[in-house]
Amino acid sequence: MKRFLIVTFLFISSIAAAQVRFARLFSDHVVLQRQQPIPVWGWGKPRETVQVTLAGQTQQGKADADGKWLVKFLPLEAGGPHKLAISAKSGKAEVNDVLIGEVWLCSGQSNMEWPTKQATNFPTEKKNANYPQIRHFRVDHELALTPQTDLKAGDWKVCSSETVGDFTAIGFFFARELYQKLNIPIGLLHSSWGGSQVEGWISKEGMLSNDELRSYAHTMPTTWQAADSIVDAKLQLQLLGKVNPTAADEQNYLATGYDFSRWKKADPFGQWDWKDMHGFRGQGYMAKLVDIPDDMAGVPTTLALAENDSPNEIYINGTRIAEGVLTGVRKIDIPANTWKAGPNRIVIKFGNMVKPAWYGLGLMGSATDLYVKSAAQQVSLGGDWQLMPAFAEKHEYTRFMNNVGISIYNAMIAPLIPFAIRGVLWYQGESNAGRAYQYRQTFPLLITDWRKKWNPDGRNPDFSFYFVQLSSYGGNQSSNQGSGWAELREAQTMTLSLPKTGMAVTTDIGNPKDIHPTNKQDVGHRLAVNALKLDYGQDINYSSPLYESASFDAGKAIVTFKHTANGLMVKDKYGYLKGFEIAGEDKVFHYAKAEINGNRVIVSHPSVQKPVAVRYAWTDAPDEANLFNSEGFPASPFRTDSWPAVSKDVRFN
C-alpha cells in the first residue's frame, strides 16, 4: 500500500509539473511594453498546442520537445487592466490586472539596488507614493553556470505607501517622473546585485566576441567545485605567492619572527568578502604590530578585540594568552609583563561568525572597540591589520557573485529574455574601478551583448540604455597621483559613442565618505530627462556639459563644451571655478585658474607657460568641482590628454 501511494504521488506530481503555465514574469499586475510586439511564453506538455489571449487578441503556439511555448501579440497602446489567459489540453492559467505601458529594466550594483526606504526623505516619499500604475518586479539574487530558462521566484508589486520602500529607489524616482509627464503605466523590472562586477552580467557569447575576454569564456568552470578550486588557487597565489601551504607553514604564522607583511592589508571590520577574499569560509588569521609604552609593559592591561563569536586563539609575541568563545565586545585581562616595551606582535586565529552565520570571517563593531588599556592609558589597535585565510585547513567558498564571470547573467538576465522593454537603466562601475581602462571594452560589450540577446535577428530597434556615471567617493587626489574612479568615468563617457545611450552625471550629489549616497531623487530625475527627451520626444535639455575640444595658445587652454543649455555657470557660494588642472609637456599638473567665456572655459597657471593638457574633476571624489550648465546639470569630468592610465594593465581573469 505504501509503494502504491508513492507511485500515485509521483504520477500526480508529474502531471502537475506538465500543466500549462506562464513564465514567472507573467504574474498578476504585470506591465507589458506598449507599441511593440509582445512576447509571452511559458511551459506545458511537450508538443501540445496552446491558445493565449490578451486584450481581444488570440495567439496560438505549440510547445517544443521540452514543453516551452512562445507567442507574440501585435503591439498595443497604453491601457488596461487586461487579462492574460492560456488554455491547452494540460490545463488553463490566467494573469489578472495586466497593464500596457512602458517597461524599463533596472540593473547594476548596490546603488541601483538601494531601496527607496533608505533614500533621502523617505517618510515624505512614502506618504506620497500612491501610484498604482507604477509596478515593480524584483529578481532574486541567483547564480548559474549555464543560462536559466525561468526565475525561481518573484512577482509584480503595485506601488503604494506599503510597497514602495522595497522598490529600487532610482527606478522609482525615474518611473514617478515618467508617469507624471506621460500619464501611462510604468513597469520596473529590477535585476541588480550589490558589489557585482560588469563581467558577471555579460553572456558567454558576449565574452567570446571580445579578444580580451574570449579565453576566459573558453576556460570558465563547468561545475561549482571547479569554480571554487580556481578561486582558491588564485587567492593563494595573490596572498602567498604559492599554492597549497601546509599545516606546518601556517603554524609558523604564530612564531615571533614570521614576516606577515605580504598578507592582505585591510581594515579588520566587515566581511572579508569585501577585502578581495570573495566567499572564503573557514579559519583565518589577523596580525598587527603594536608599540607598547614602557610604563604599560609591567602592569596588567585589558585587550579589547571588538566582536567575533567564533572560537578564537589570541597570541602575543608567539605565546597563546587566551582561547575560547566570547560574545559582544571582547575584553581580555592580560597579566603584567605579558607585553614588552616597544614593538609587540598580536596574532589572532579565528573562524566564521556564528551569528549571523552568513557573515563569514571578519570583525563587527568599530575601531573604538580595538585597544590595549591600562589603568593610566590606552593604545588604539584601530587601522589596518594583516589578514590571511587558513588555506591548509578545511575551507570552502560560498556562492559569491564575483567569483565566476557570466554567472549573474545566466541566472538573472537570461530568464528575462525576450520580455519586451523600452530600455535599460544601469548603475554599476564601483567594483570595476580597479580595472577602469578595460571598462572601455567591457561596458560597451555588455550593452551590445544585451541588445543582441533581445534582438537576435536585428529586426527590431535596439532598446535605449541610460547609465549613471560614478559619483564622488574616496579621496580628492590630484591628477599627478591618478584616479581609477576618474578613469572609469572616462570609460563611461566614451560609451556614449554607442547609439541610443545617455548618461547621468552625479559627482555633485555623492558622498566622499559613503559609497551609497542617499539622494536618489536627483539621480532618477537625471535619467528620466534622458528618456523624456530621447524616447518620448519632449523638448527639454537633458545632458550635462560634455567636453568637446581644446586649443592651446598664449599660455592658456581654451576648452569648449557641448550641452551647455543656455550657458555655463558656477554653482556654489564662492563664484569661481574649481576642479581644473593644467600641465605642460613635463606632464606635471597644477591646480589652475579657470574662467567661463560663453560655452568655453579659459584655463591657465603661471607655472605652465606652454600648456598641452587640461583635466577637470580628475579624482575619486571631485566634490569641489562646480561647473554646471543653466539647467543645473554638472559638467562631466574629462581630460584632454591620452597619457597612460593608472589602470591600463589591470585585466579581468
Side-chain angles (χ1 to χ4, degrees):
M1 182 65 179
K2 183 177 180 180
R3 181 179 177 185
F4 173 77
L5 289 175
I6 293 174
V7 172
T8 302
F9 174 77
L10 292 174
F11 177 72
I12 293 172
S13 297
S14 67
I15 293 176
Q19 185 170 345
V20 71
R21 66 179 177 89
F22 290 104
R24 177 74 65 171
L25 285 173
F26 302 99
S27 65
D28 290 349
H29 317 303
V30 62
V31 180
L32 302 175
Q33 179 61 47
R34 66 169 180 160
Q35 299 173 343
Q36 293 183 17
I38 302 174
V40 176
W41 69 94
W43 287 267
K45 286 187 175 181
R47 308 299 186 189
E48 76 173 339
T49 298
V50 299
Q51 282 196 329
V52 192
T53 60
L54 172 67
Q57 293 187 45
T58 298
Q59 299 292 340
Q60 183 170 293
K62 187 174 183 179
D64 62 17
D66 295 321
K68 184 175 182 179
W69 53 265
L70 181 147
V71 299
K72 283 188 179 181
F73 290 95
L74 298 176
L76 294 167
E77 290 301 322
H82 302 290
K83 180 169 72 173
L84 178 63
I86 183 172
S87 62
K89 286 185 178 180
S90 62
K92 296 181 179 181
E94 65 180 39
V95 176
N96 295 298
D97 190 28
V98 177
L99 298 183
I100 311 298
E102 292 294 295
V103 182
W104 288 85
L105 171 58
C106 306
S107 191
Q109 58 181 108
S110 54
N111 273 304
M112 180 60 78
E113 194 170 15
W114 199 255
T116 311
K117 62 188 174 187
Q118 293 180 331
T120 303
N121 296 326
F122 176 62
T124 300
E125 302 292 7
K126 177 179 179 179
K127 182 180 178 181
N128 300 309
N130 183 31
Y131 291 98
Q133 291 206 322
I134 297 176
R135 280 92 185 277
H136 180 275
F137 186 106
R138 183 184 182 277
V139 177
D140 282 354
H141 291 171
E142 293 284 351
L143 298 172
L145 296 177
T146 57
Q148 301 300 290
T149 57
D150 200 10
L151 301 171
K152 296 178 181 179
D155 55 11
W156 288 88
K157 302 293 186 183
V158 177
C159 184
S160 69
S161 295
E162 289 69 37
T163 63
V164 72
D166 293 325
F167 285 24
T168 160
I170 288 173
F172 168 66
F173 296 125
F174 170 89
R176 183 177 66 183
E177 183 160 352
L178 259 59
Y179 178 75
Q180 291 171 341
K181 299 289 177 60
L182 305 175
N183 194 31
I184 57 175
I186 308 293
L188 298 172
L189 183 50
H190 176 205
S191 182
S192 60
W193 196 331
S196 58
Q197 301 169 354
V198 71
E199 293 86 359
W201 295 97
I202 300 171
S203 76
K204 184 174 183 178
E205 293 76 16
M207 283 201 177
L208 287 171
S209 71
N210 179 270
D211 289 342
E212 289 195 17
L213 298 177
R214 185 177 296 115
S215 61
Y216 181 88
H218 277 307
T219 60
M220 69 171 289
T222 57
T223 67
W224 285 113
Q225 183 179 8
D228 292 348
S229 296
I230 292 171
V231 171
D232 198 42
K234 286 182 179 179
L235 187 56
Q236 291 181 38
L237 284 172
Q238 173 189 332
L239 297 179
L240 292 169
K242 65 177 183 178
V243 296
N244 299 324
T246 66
D249 291 333
E250 294 186 351
Q251 187 64 32
N252 289 334
Y253 297 170
L254 308 175
T256 55
Y258 182 80
D259 178 13
F260 47 70
S261 61
R262 187 185 177 97
W263 293 10
K264 177 68 179 181
K265 186 177 181 181
D267 185 332
F269 290 97
Q271 295 174 271
W272 284 20
D273 288 344
W274 305 109
K275 305 177 193 301
D276 296 327
M277 291 171 275
H278 302 158
F280 182 91
R281 296 293 183 267
Q283 299 289 304
Y285 296 85
M286 51 185 286
K288 190 177 183 72
L289 292 176
V290 56
D291 283 324
I292 297 296
D294 293 357
D295 50 358
M296 282 186 73
V299 300
T301 58
T302 299
L303 174 62
L305 292 176
E307 299 180 49
N308 181 285
D309 59 356
S310 73
N312 275 221
E313 298 176 24
I314 297 98
Y315 295 81
I316 296 177
N317 297 324
T319 300
R320 185 168 62 192
I321 53 92
E323 64 176 319
V325 176
L326 290 174
T327 58
V329 177
R330 298 168 294 161
K331 296 180 180 179
I332 301 166
D333 293 330
I334 306 297
N337 300 312
T338 302
W339 304 103
K340 62 181 181 180
N344 290 256
R345 301 165 62 90
I346 304 177
V347 180
I348 303 169
K349 183 180 181 183
F350 62 107
N352 302 321
M353 289 286 292
V354 178
K355 294 181 180 179
W358 51 263
Y359 195 85
L361 290 169
L363 300 184
M364 300 181 75
S366 68
T368 58
D369 300 326
L370 272 177
Y371 58 83
V372 180
K373 183 178 182 180
S374 68
Q377 59 185 310
Q378 179 171 309
V379 175
S380 172
L381 300 179
D384 289 339
W385 286 57
Q386 309 289 142
L387 312 179
M388 177 61 68
F391 292 111
E393 299 192 38
K394 182 179 179 181
H395 62 280
E396 60 185 9
Y397 289 85
T398 191
R399 297 292 175 258
F400 193 74
M401 88 293 291
N402 291 334
N403 282 359
V404 182
I406 304 172
S407 58
I408 309 177
Y409 168 86
N410 285 339
M412 296 179 63
I413 296 299
L416 312 183
I417 302 170
F419 194 86
I421 60 175
R422 176 67 67 187
V424 173
L425 307 179
W426 177 261
Y427 195 155
Q428 190 277 337
E430 296 92 337
S431 293
N432 280 84
R435 49 182 182 275
Y437 191 81
Q438 193 178 39
Y439 205 75
R440 296 179 177 194
Q441 292 190 49
T442 52
F443 185 35
L445 175 63
L446 175 134
I447 298 172
T448 303
D449 180 37
W450 285 15
R451 286 173 170 173
K452 286 182 178 178
K453 291 294 186 180
W454 255 270
N455 186 22
D457 56 12
R459 294 180 181 178
N460 299 316
D462 287 331
F463 51 66
S464 299
F465 198 106
Y466 304 134
F467 51 91
V468 182
Q469 190 185 68
L470 288 192
S471 195
S472 295
Y473 172 71
N476 196 343
Q477 65 274 53
S478 75
S479 287
N480 296 317
Q481 297 167 275
S483 165
W485 279 55
E487 290 174 5
L488 195 126
R489 294 188 194 103
E490 178 180 50
Q492 291 174 313
T493 305
M494 293 169 72
T495 304
L496 291 172
S497 62
L498 290 181
K500 301 185 72 173
T501 55
M503 181 174 72
V505 178
T506 62
T507 46
D508 62 316
I509 52 176
N511 184 342
K513 296 182 179 180
D514 192 339
I515 203 168
H516 301 121
T518 59
N519 178 358
K520 304 303 186 192
Q521 289 88 339
D522 281 332
V523 183
H525 166 66
R526 292 175 189 181
L527 290 169
V529 293
N530 276 273
L532 289 169
K533 170 69 173 183
L534 302 175
D535 292 282
Y536 307 116
Q538 296 199 357
D539 186 15
I540 57 175
N541 292 302
Y542 69 96
S543 175
S544 284
L546 299 176
Y547 165 73
E548 187 170 44
S549 64
S551 60
F552 301 90
D553 183 52
K556 296 181 179 180
I558 300 95
V559 183
T560 303
F561 295 84
K562 56 185 176 181
H563 298 297
T564 56
N566 293 321
L568 296 171
M569 58 180 283
V570 176
K571 191 179 179 183
D572 69 11
K573 63 183 179 181
Y574 298 104
Y576 60 87
L577 283 177
K578 292 177 286 186
F580 282 87
E581 298 173 83
I582 195 167
E585 292 180 351
D586 61 359
K587 300 183 181 180
V588 176
F589 281 90
H590 301 263
Y591 290 113
K593 177 183 178 181
E595 297 177 321
I596 295 171
N597 183 344
N599 69 336
R600 304 181 302 171
V601 172
I602 314 300
V603 188
S604 63
H605 189 280
S607 297
V608 184
Q609 296 300 309
K610 294 182 178 181
V612 298
V614 171
R615 293 183 179 182
Y616 172 72
W618 201 261
T619 181
D620 289 1
D623 55 329
E624 291 186 352
N626 60 352
L627 177 63
F628 289 72
N629 66 17
S630 60
E631 289 293 321
F633 296 137
S636 176
F638 69 90
R639 60 174 177 159
T640 66
D641 63 274
S642 58
W643 296 336
V646 296
S647 62
K648 189 176 189 302
D649 297 323
V650 186
R651 294 290 184 268
F652 174 77
N653 55 53

